[in-house]
Every structure is written in C-alpha cells, then in structure tokens.
Amino acid sequence: MRIVLTTLHSKFIHASLALPLLAAYCRHAQRTLLIREYTVHEPKETVLAALLAEQPNVVAFSVYLWNRTATLEMADALVTARPGLRVVLGGPEVSFDGPELFTRHPGISAVVRGEGELPLRALLDAWQHNASPEGIARLNWRDGANVQTGPDGPLLDNLDAIPSPYPLGLVDLSRGLVYLETSRGCPYRCAFCMSALDERVRSYSMPRIRADLQWLMERNVPCIKLVDRTFNYDIKRAREIFRFILENNRGSRFHFEIGAHLLDEATLTLLEQVPADTFQFEIGVQSTLPRTLAAIRRETSLERLETNVRRLRRAGNIHLHLDLIAGLPEEGSASFLQSVDRIMALRPHHLQLEPVKLLPGAPLRRDARALGLRFDPHPPYTVLGTPQLSFEELERLRGISRLLDLTWNAGRLQLFLEQLAVLYGSLSAGLGALEAFWRRRNLFRHPLSQRGLFEACWEFLQSGAGATAGTEPREALARDFLRVERVAPAQAPAFLDLDLTSEEQEQVKEQVRLQSEAIRGQGIKLQHLACVFRCLPGRPLRRTVLLALYLTCPGKPMQTREIYLQQPT
C-alpha cells in the first residue's frame, strides 16, 4: 500500500511536523509512506499531477485554517481524476466537521478527529487487511452511502512511543526552520484556543527531548521552533531544557511560546546567560482588562508578567514577541488601546495585534451567539463585531496593527513613534491619528517602499499636530531614516536638513577620509550622508552635524555608523 501524507503550507519556508510524526508512528513493512509538501500558492493542476504521479492508494491531508478551501478542492479533483483513490483528512480544521462534510465532498473516505497517530495507524491497518475500520476511536469514515462515527477515545499516553522522525530522515532540514514538540496540551483553558479541549499536558521523556535537541543542534539547524503551547508550564522541566541547550548548542536559534508570569528567579538568572540572538520568546498577553481575562478563563498575573518581561528586556539578550487579541468578550476599543499602551511601555521587540479567530471546537466559538460575537463563517473565522466593538472599530485596530508591523515591529521609526506619543498624549492615540491619515490616503491598499513609508509619515506630520510641534518630530523621523536607508544627497527626502556650512563640510570630508583609510583593503564600500540636527536625544540642544556612514560588503548586511560633528560654542 502506498500512502502519501501531504499538506499545503502558506509559505515555502514552513515545514510540517505533523506529517513526519504520523509517518514515524504508522510505519509498516508492507506499506510505503511518502511525505509531500506544497504551498497554497502553487497551481492546483501542478500539485494534482505531482500527487497522482506517486501512484498512491491513499492520500492523507493535514488541514488547517490557511489551506481548508484549497485542500477540499484538491480532494475533489483527486478522486475525480482517479476513482477509487482513498482520501483521508485530519487536523484541527476538520476535526469538528460532521457527516455533512462527506456529503459536500463525496470523494472523502475518512476524517480523523483530533490527534492523529492512533486512529490513522488503525485505519491503515484495517484497509491493509481489507477490513472495515469499525470501532476505531476518533474516526469518521464512509461506509457505502452512510457515514459512520467512531467513538471518542483516549489520546496517546506515552509520546515516546512515536519514533523520532529526525534520525529517520522524515523531516526536511533544508528550509532553515524545523519544528519540535516536547509536550502536547496546555494547563490553561483559554476560551479562544483549541488547547482548552485538552484534558492534560503530556510530555516526552527528558532523554527523548535531549536526544532530539542534540540531533538537531549537531546538524546546525538555523532555527528550531518549539511548538509547545506553554513551554514552561513545568518550570523545572523548562529550566533543564534551557540549560541543556546552553551547554550543547552550536549556533542554532530557538523559538519558545512561554508564560512570562511562570518564570521564577532561578530561571530568570539562567536566561540572563543566554547568548544574544539565540532565544526568542513569544508571550501571549491577549488582554490587560481583568473582566476580559475572566471571560476567556485566562489565568495569569499581569503584574508578575510585566515584572518578568521588564527584567528580560533589561538583560537585552532575548527577543521578546508579545501578543494582544482584539475582539475578545467585554473589551471595547478604548480598553484595548489602553492594553496597547501598557504593553508597549514594556518595549517588546515585537507587539502583535490580531483580531480573535473563532476556531471550530473552541469554547469561544461554541458560546459566540450568547456572547454576541459575530464572525466570518469561513476560514480564518475572524471576528467581525462584538457588543463592545463595531466592524469599523475593529478595522481601525487592524490598521493600527499594520502600522506597528511597518514601524516598530520592523525595527524602524522607533524615535518617530516616541515623538508621536508625546504629540498625542499616548502612543495609541498617536497611532490612531496616523491610522486615520493612512486610511484617508488609501495607503493600506498597496505596499509602500521603505522610503515611501517615511515620506508618508512626513506628510502626516505636516498635515496634523506635527505641523506646529517644532523640530523634534521631524528630526526623529530624519534620525530613523538615516539608520535604515542609504540615499544620495541629491535624492534626499525633504525632512533631511542638508544645509551644512563650509566649515561643517570640511569636517565631514576629513572624517570620511579617516574612515576610508581605516577600512582600506578590506573589500568594504563606504558611503555617507551628513545632516544637521538641533535636538538630538541625549545630546546638548545645539546645532550638530550627524554623519551617517554606510558600510557594505558582498554577502553581508549593510552596517550603519554615526559620528557627531558638533560646532564649538
């Protein structure tokens, strides 16, 4: 029997973890298991031809928010092109569908509900022996004109029973990003999350975890993303894994989803020893409104979370990605924007603002009508209105989210945002004004170049509160621009002051000569731009020439240096 395990990713860089784990668990001497991964952007005909070229008896799809529609279309095409082919669906996006899914898509042979290892192996065993899959837990299957529903059943108790897919060669290491799980489930019951349905947290054994990590680190996998819902649910376990990585890592980077409020003193002290650019933490705050946290059953101590994030931020060695979710019960626009200000005060490297998605099976989806939550009935099931938030207000919050992605989260315009907060009394108010300008100008419709982004911010300053605010906002914009964009003087944007005196021009020439001599023979190209500033943060309030140096070398990112040439008083 030839079985193709497949999925459609949203991006090529993504790699599946579910398929290798299923392939490892379902191995059998009398069947061939193939893993084939594609993206939703590839032509349907190309993927269809590739799958059929494998001459499969069974094609099993892993189905998610981003690929549900494309997967169902592919399933229909497969059985039309090759009658008798068996198609199996599994994954979170189909686990809560009923018999109507089989009615709408007559080619589907079976659907796995929830965790897939046990039901898929049992199904393949039955088909291999020409038997009915009668009685297999967490499986729906087509039985002639009828659809049979298997009973609910236990999850795999011993995760170590799944052979590691890495030494078996089942995981693609060529994409730069590899997923690893060390546990399943979550101790929390957040209403918007599928993990609210898990009965308990199950962990792989520590020897298995160490073996998988060691195997990946020895092969210098660039990025290892741990998919555990709350990696540090057991702080001693998390600390042991952190320590093992620090003792054995050869240059890989690691991404963890953690509960910041769970970090204790011993773990924080250990984390301060992490080399820079090695760990990234994703921390779900979701809301700072107590009644919203209570409504979604999210147990956390915001004070402890903030204290620990500040300490991590002071250490400066771990990239911090924090999340807020818009459209949760009981939270309106004003309170959500207060959450934005409160979390941005922690200065995370990245703040993600996302509207809540009412996922099939999640408690929030089940209670949506009672809570007055309106959502798109199609993937990704985004909230479209609540008793506290109109669609228009949600759109404004989405616009602010996009502006944060263009500015703070992209590592640019940070000084400008600080001035925006001063101008409007808070960062959220400033972002709200900027979002309104962006919307009036239809700037959300098309992507902007980096320079176009800065020029749009300059137009905003000229048209709004910045028009009478003095030089600080313009100079903040100029300073941010010099840090990220190399430009010739003749093409400099209007917010840069290039009007140097003859004495200043001579100072610039001398500094450029000295810097050029320092890098001579190193294969580095030096370019520069000199601008006048009068209120640089942390420097005396007087006329200063900032000389921006741009150093480029083939195969390496551009480096930017700054030299201050201040005139004598």
Side-chain angles (χ1 to χ4, degrees), residues 332-352:
S333 179
S335 56
F336 183 81
L337 292 174
Q338 289 172 3
S339 289
V340 172
D341 287 327
R342 183 169 174 178
I343 299 307
M344 282 298 290
L346 303 176
R347 299 187 67 82
H349 299 93
H350 188 114
L351 175 58
Q352 179 174 314

Side-chain angles (χ1 to χ4, degrees), residues 118-339:
L118 288 173
L120 182 61
R121 186 164 77 175
L123 174 65
L124 296 178
D125 288 344
W127 282 346
Q128 191 167 322
H129 294 92
N130 296 315
S132 168
E134 191 77 33
I136 296 177
R138 294 185 290 107
L139 183 75
N140 300 345
W141 76 96
R142 189 183 298 279
D143 182 13
N146 301 316
V147 175
Q148 303 293 335
T149 300
D152 291 335
L155 303 176
L156 187 63
D157 186 62
N158 177 19
L159 294 181
D160 282 9
I162 307 172
S164 175
Y166 306 106
L168 292 174
L170 297 173
V171 177
D172 184 357
L173 303 182
S174 68
R175 305 185 186 208
L177 172 66
V178 170
Y179 294 102
L180 170 68
E181 69 173 6
T182 68
S183 67
R184 292 184 181 180
C186 183
Y188 302 106
R189 296 293 178 265
C190 302
F192 57 83
C193 183
M194 299 293 293
S195 291
L197 306 176
D198 293 348
E199 297 178 355
R200 58 194 173 93
V201 182
R202 293 161 291 150
S203 175
Y204 289 83
S205 69
M206 197 55 66
R208 166 66 179 271
I209 294 170
R210 286 194 292 263
D212 281 346
L213 281 168
Q214 188 73 47
W215 194 94
L216 292 169
M217 290 187 292
E218 285 178 352
R219 283 150 185 82
N220 295 309
V221 172
C223 183
I224 301 169
K225 185 169 183 177
L226 287 92
V227 299
D228 306 52
R229 287 295 190 181
T230 304
F231 174 77
N232 61 328
Y233 72 93
D234 179 334
I235 196 61
K236 291 182 179 179
R237 169 187 176 278
R239 190 162 60 244
E240 183 176 349
I241 296 172
F242 287 148
R243 184 175 290 110
F244 180 80
I245 291 172
L246 294 179
E247 292 172 352
N248 295 275
N249 190 30
R250 300 185 178 187
S252 297
R253 292 177 290 111
F254 297 83
H255 178 108
F256 306 88
E257 293 187 31
I258 71 162
H261 61 291
L262 300 175
L263 297 173
D264 61 6
E265 177 61 30
T267 306
L268 287 165
T269 300
L270 176 66
L271 291 173
E272 289 172 345
Q273 304 171 29
V274 175
D277 198 33
T278 299
F279 283 6
Q280 174 173 314
F281 286 167
E282 183 169 351
I283 300 167
V285 182
Q286 319 315 6
S287 175
T288 64
L289 190 65
R291 65 176 180 268
T292 292
L293 295 174
I296 62 173
R297 301 194 298 277
R298 185 167 183 83
E299 301 172 9
T300 188
S301 166
L302 288 174
E303 292 73 20
R304 181 71 180 273
L305 181 150
E306 289 174 319
T307 297
N308 288 344
V309 168
R310 287 193 184 96
R311 178 163 172 181
L312 291 170
R313 193 65 179 89
R314 284 196 301 271
N317 56 331
I318 294 175
H319 184 93
L320 302 178
H321 176 131
L322 273 61
D323 298 330
L324 288 171
I325 298 179
L328 293 172
E330 303 294 332
E331 185 157 61
S333 179
S335 56
F336 183 81
L337 292 174
Q338 289 172 3
S339 289

